Amino acid sequence: MPGMIRVVRFVALIGALAAPPASRLLAQGAPPSPPQGPRWLNADTSKKTNQSNFRTLEEWPAPNEYRTGSGGPGPKYWQQKVDYVIRTTLDTAAHRVTGSERITYHNNAPEKLGYIWLQLDQDIDQKDSRAALSQRAFARQLSPQTRAFLFPETEAQGGYTITRVQLVDATGKKTDAKYYHNGTQMRVDLAAPLGTAQAAMVDVDWSYVVPERGRNGRGVREKVKDGWLYEVAQWFPRAAVYDDVNGWQNVQFYGQGEFYLEFGDYDVSITVPHDHIVRATGSLVNPGEVLTGTQRARLLQAWASDTPVFIVKAEEVMTAAARPAGNGPLTWRFKAQNVRDFAWASSKAYVWDAMGFRYKPGSRLIEMHSVYPRDAMPLWNRVSTLAIRQTMLTYGRMAFEYPYPQASNVHGPVFGMEYPMIAFCGARPRPDGTYEKSLEYSLASVTIHEVGHNWFPMIVASDERKWTWMDEGLNSFLEYYGSLDYDKAWPQPIMRGPGKNLTAYMKTPSQVPLMTESDAIFANFGNNGYSKPATGLVMLRETILGAEAFDRAFREYSQKWMFKHPQPQDFFRSLAAGAGEQANWFWRGWFYTTYANDQALTSVETQDAKELTGDTKRGSFYHRFRVEQLGGLVMPLHFRVTYDDGTEETIRLPADIWRNNEKDFVYGYFSNKGVQQVVVDPNELFVDINRENNVWKKPLPRPLP
Ligand SMILES: [Zn+2]
């Protein structure tokens, strides 16, 4: 406690005083003498510029006709639409996915396009991909875990084999297209510039081997007791986004920045071995061809049930009862509207349970599905589908009701990954089926998280290849409330949201600001992309704006940007507009810097009120608490005061108190009670990185000589 001054007077009066309600007034006397120069934190005052934490955010691009000053889509907002028809086959002997797709690209941009860029995410597994070449040398010793996850050198060259790229004209005539590769992107030249409101069709044929461990890490296969599980994602050439902010968004796929894609309609036919069960984005449109009569009847039961119903029971896995008659490959056909991607999973090992969900009795049915191998029981059948339901409820309340017809959760090698209407989650019991209670929380939280990604960024479709916090952060924030709703007794330490859980990270020197592109967040990706934004939003909701103002603004942001592409400034501006609070200091400090909060209580002083004002009308004492900001952030200031009579009071001051002087603040008020103890930020809300200087205690009386 450096520089602590302990001035305590008139302690003896306490016992004699009654305790009327404490009257509290901000210091109204003479202002402190003006300090030399502006008292700004983090300022280089030689620059003679405005460096206040409260200043307008010059970092935000000016509003325009596409994006308004209140953070909404502007009157001329536009975005592209890209539709896909895909036929694909899974060869389980070679683990190869072969596909043929037709891309119909609708140009809504106010300019002509001479070419279309496609994302080839699988090409991250080419031997000479930039991600491969950027791999740092191994350390001298590798942990067993690192060894287990080494990129397999024995596997054939990963990535795509592209066998056909053709342009298709309006009459259906096909001509070979000129195309050009640049890393994980491919440019396809169009026959003629594509005007506004025109569409172009491109056909691409391709194949790749689903890796066991790819750099991508998201579309992989795994062999479990009953056979191979295939999680097929980022699996077909997909149009890159063309928008008003980036033009073509050509950020390479390095693995960490996920993906930014256009909305469109999908018609996907997936041919797999007869004994496989498939789950995918969209609705199954040919259940009569791929499901048994019993399974279709069970699905109807499931839609009316409020507990999960088995569609494929554990004892039916890999038996004739689980599949329609015959033995040739089966084609599962799924259609999805207004989605920004498509993923699927296939295995003969799946148990399948399902249940219906409706926001109101009698309203639109939302199907909820879980598929998992028997290795995942008895955990998955107990937790997965109920956790999907929790996501529907919590995210529906805080953002908007789930607009899609179904949500699926798939167990396999991917620990947690999201695609429209389908999530991959990895929590698995021990081989003997036992597990700790904490694994139940792990599966519930990862399910809430991954299914929750349908809202952010699958529907509120931010640019996640650039801004991890906009999807992971917003989603982790809602996951926090989803977890609390799922079980009020949720073990707190695992949670992303409470301020005290972020303290260690806020002390680390390797931090980068949240406004750092996803692939430049080199350390602490989870803390940066997930925990810090989630914690900041919890803070904003619970203590800075209040739940009512925050929730309204957050819902408004979510609904304005459904099926659209918001940018960071659109989020900040939406919150500021909806809550009526600019909070520049918060957006700047929390999102654009790595400064931490360290509020230090440097003195507590009590003065006889009569000495100060000539009377005791306002109270017998005047207390002064001096707080210095030793970090770089301004934050609200909370005190918990314990009085001599043992009563406690919490004083909550807004961050505005730092407006005139960001370095120190003296709070003063009248009271009839003497002060025994003062604690700054008593509920650990503001991620104070040094709590040693947050407490003041009245010194014990000196013993008589
Ligand atoms: Zn996530």
Side-chain angles (χ1 to χ4, degrees):
M1 277 190 272
M4 180 70 79
I5 306 161
R6 291 173 175 172
V7 184
V8 183
R9 298 176 197 164
F10 307 105
V11 176
L13 286 174
I14 292 298
L17 287 166
S23 84
R24 191 194 319 136
L25 296 169
L26 285 173
Q28 290 166 336
S33 52
Q36 291 161 358
R39 301 277 289 162
W40 292 327
L41 287 169
N42 328 314
D44 174 359
T45 45
S46 69
K47 288 187 173 155
K48 306 289 181 195
T49 56
N50 178 3
Q51 292 171 68
S52 158
N53 272 304
F54 294 86
R55 72 188 185 277
T56 301
L57 276 139
E58 63 272 18
E59 291 88 345
W60 294 355
N64 56 38
E65 56 201 346
Y66 308 122
R67 292 164 197 278
T68 70
S70 58
K76 291 196 176 171
Y77 178 84
W78 56 271
Q79 69 189 25
Q80 310 294 58
K81 179 170 190 280
V82 189
D83 301 328
Y84 298 83
V85 178
I86 309 175
R87 289 191 311 278
T88 187
T89 303
L90 172 65
D91 170 354
T92 52
H95 308 299
R96 182 172 283 277
V97 170
T98 303
S100 181
E101 69 182 280
R102 171 158 301 173
I103 302 167
T104 304
Y105 191 96
H106 302 271
N107 182 20
N108 298 318
E111 60 192 308
K112 290 183 175 174
L113 300 179
Y115 44 80
I116 295 168
W117 279 99
L118 302 180
Q119 305 271 9
L120 306 183
D121 285 6
Q122 288 299 327
D123 277 350
I124 196 172
D125 285 336
Q126 300 277 7
K127 281 201 167 91
D128 60 353
S129 74
R130 293 187 207 181
L133 298 175
S134 311
Q135 179 83 46
R136 288 174 63 85
F138 293 130
R140 283 176 176 275
Q141 283 195 326
L142 297 181
S143 66
Q145 206 197 7
T146 306
R147 287 184 191 189
F149 282 93
L150 280 184
F151 194 72
E153 293 298 326
T154 51
E155 201 150 73
Q157 165 101 336
Y160 286 116
T161 303
I162 305 258
T163 51
R164 182 174 70 99
V165 183
Q166 287 189 305
L167 304 177
V168 186
D169 74 11
T171 68
K173 193 171 146 257
K174 295 174 187 171
T175 49
D176 287 348
K178 264 181 66 183
Y179 61 95
Y180 162 77
H181 270 95
N182 178 37
T184 59
Q185 312 235 338
M186 182 170 85
R187 190 192 71 215
V188 179
D189 292 348
L190 300 175
L194 186 67
T196 306
Q198 291 184 332
M201 288 187 284
V202 179
D203 281 5
V204 185
D205 290 357
W206 42 264
S207 69
Y208 76 98
V209 172
V210 181
E212 265 194 275
R213 291 186 292 277
R215 286 198 172 78
N216 173 348
R218 299 188 173 94
V220 288
R221 68 178 202 267
E222 182 192 10
K223 194 169 191 180
V224 294
K225 265 184 259 169
D226 291 333
W228 286 98
L229 310 173
Y230 295 90
E231 292 179 325
V232 183
Q234 293 164 253
W235 58 289
F236 61 99
R238 306 173 293 177
V241 170
Y242 186 82
D243 66 19
D244 59 297
V245 174
N246 299 282
W248 285 106
Q249 210 277 28
N250 284 124
V251 180
Q252 290 281 315
F253 186 45
Y254 299 102
Q256 195 156 269
E258 292 184 339
F259 45 95
Y260 182 39
L261 298 163
E262 306 284 16
F263 286 95
D265 301 335
Y266 285 70
D267 178 349
V268 182
S269 300
I270 303 166
T271 301
V272 295
H274 193 89
D275 54 3
H276 273 221
I277 297 288
V278 179
R279 284 309 308 159
T281 300
S283 296
L284 178 66
V285 296
N286 62 339
E289 294 170 26
V290 295
L291 301 180
T292 67
T294 305
Q295 288 166 344
R296 282 177 279 143
R298 287 175 183 171
L299 282 169
L300 290 178
Q301 278 172 32
W303 307 150
S305 169
D306 53 12
T307 52
V309 172
F310 282 111
I311 311 305
V312 177
K313 298 179 182 177
E315 61 272 24
E316 293 168 345
V317 169
M318 297 189 297
T319 66
R323 305 287 47 234
N327 51 24
L330 289 175
T331 297
W332 298 60
R333 189 169 177 197
F334 292 86
K335 284 190 179 180
Q337 286 190 321
N338 217 6
V339 288
R340 36 158 278 177
D341 197 6
F342 188 104
W344 52 284
S346 184
S347 178
K348 64 178 180 179
Y350 287 148
V351 177
W352 178 2
D353 76 53
M355 187 172 116
F357 176 83
R358 290 173 175 83
Y359 278 102
K360 289 181 201 75
S363 73
R364 179 175 59 93
L365 168 70
I366 297 167
E367 302 176 4
M368 302 185 294
H369 301 266
S370 298
V371 294
Y372 39 87
R374 289 187 280 204
D375 307 62
M377 296 179 77
L379 172 68
W380 270 65
N381 48 305
R382 288 177 187 161
V383 174
S384 172
T385 302
L386 296 176
I388 300 175
R389 178 171 64 185
Q390 187 60 63
T391 320
M392 296 293 156
L393 291 166
T394 305
Y395 285 62
R397 182 181 78 233
M398 296 197 67
F400 48 80
E401 292 184 357
Y402 188 72
Y404 289 138
Q406 68 99 356
S408 295
N409 193 22
V410 179
H411 177 72
V414 177
F415 178 77
M417 191 57 204
E418 68 281 5
Y419 299 94
M421 305 188 218
I422 188 166
F424 300 160
C425 294
R428 186 180 299 174
R430 299 183 192 100
D432 66 359
T434 61
Y435 59 85
E436 305 296 326
K437 180 80 177 165
S438 61
L439 194 70
E440 208 169 284
Y441 290 118
S442 171
L443 176 58
S445 66
V446 76
T447 300
I448 291 168
H449 181 99
E450 305 308 342
V451 175
H453 269 306
N454 276 292
W455 280 260
F456 306 93
M458 296 301 145
I459 294 169
V460 181
S462 58
D463 182 349
E464 50 178 330
R465 190 152 288 180
K466 276 191 176 169
W467 309 118
T468 296
W469 68 264
M470 282 192 85
D471 71 300
E472 298 301 354
L474 268 59
N475 186 39
S476 298
F477 163 72
L478 292 182
E479 176 201 338
Y480 169 68
Y481 293 101
S483 302
L484 291 176
D485 289 348
Y486 182 85
D487 184 346
K488 292 271 177 266
W490 197 280
Q492 287 293 316
I494 61 163
M495 302 285 297
R496 292 178 161 138
K500 63 181 171 189
N501 297 351
L502 194 69
T503 315
Y505 173 64
M506 293 299 280
K507 290 185 209 176
T508 56
S510 60
Q511 292 174 74
V512 291
L514 294 183
M515 287 300 295
T516 300
E517 289 81 348
S518 307
D519 287 291
I521 304 168
F522 52 92
N524 289 307
F525 187 73
N527 280 316
N528 181 290
Y530 299 64
S531 304
K532 187 178 174 186
T535 305
L537 294 176
V538 169
M539 206 188 286
L540 199 61
R541 178 178 191 267
E542 309 285 331
T543 55
I544 297 170
L545 301 178
E548 195 188 336
F550 179 95
D551 289 351
R552 186 203 156 93
F554 188 84
R555 269 196 299 271
E556 206 168 71
Y557 164 77
S558 307
Q559 293 174 13
K560 280 191 294 203
W561 289 99
M562 281 177 84
F563 305 112
K564 293 191 173 72
H565 295 311
Q567 291 287 323
Q569 73 272 14
D570 298 322
F571 177 73
F572 301 140
R573 285 179 166 139
S574 292
L575 270 281
E581 183 67 53
Q582 202 61 39
N584 291 333
W585 59 273
F586 178 77
W587 305 123
R588 168 175 290 108
W590 201 255
F591 286 83
Y592 288 85
T593 80
T594 58
Y595 289 121
N597 172 38
D598 179 10
Q599 295 173 340
L601 181 60
T602 52
S603 76
V604 169
E605 204 183 293
T606 294
Q607 187 182 2
D608 180 6
K610 200 166 182 184
E611 180 188 299
L612 185 68
T613 62
D615 59 51
T616 57
K617 285 186 223 158
R618 296 164 189 83
S620 307
F621 307 120
Y622 190 72
H623 302 300
R624 291 188 190 84
F625 306 155
R626 185 168 191 277
V627 178
E628 288 182 39
Q629 177 52 264
L630 304 180
L633 281 183
V634 292
M635 277 287 163
L637 181 55
H638 290 189
F639 298 107
R640 181 181 293 142
V641 185
T642 309
Y643 294 104
D644 282 341
D645 64 358
T647 58
E648 283 188 350
E649 180 183 17
T650 302
I651 299 169
R652 297 181 181 85
L653 306 174
D656 303 71
I657 57 161
W658 305 103
R659 277 183 183 272
N660 294 325
N661 179 341
E662 298 176 2
K663 295 190 174 179
D664 60 271
F665 179 74
V666 184
Y667 177 68
Y669 70 108
F670 291 98
S671 170
N672 281 325
K673 301 179 187 180
V675 170
Q676 195 75 35
Q677 178 177 285
V678 181
V679 180
V680 166
D681 189 15
N683 297 318
E684 301 189 47
L685 297 174
F686 302 114
V687 201
D688 191 315
I689 58 164
N690 180 9
R691 298 195 59 83
E692 309 244 303
N693 58 23
N694 283 25
V695 183
W696 176 89
K697 283 194 172 109
K698 187 164 79 177
L700 293 170
R702 284 183 193 187
L704 293 170

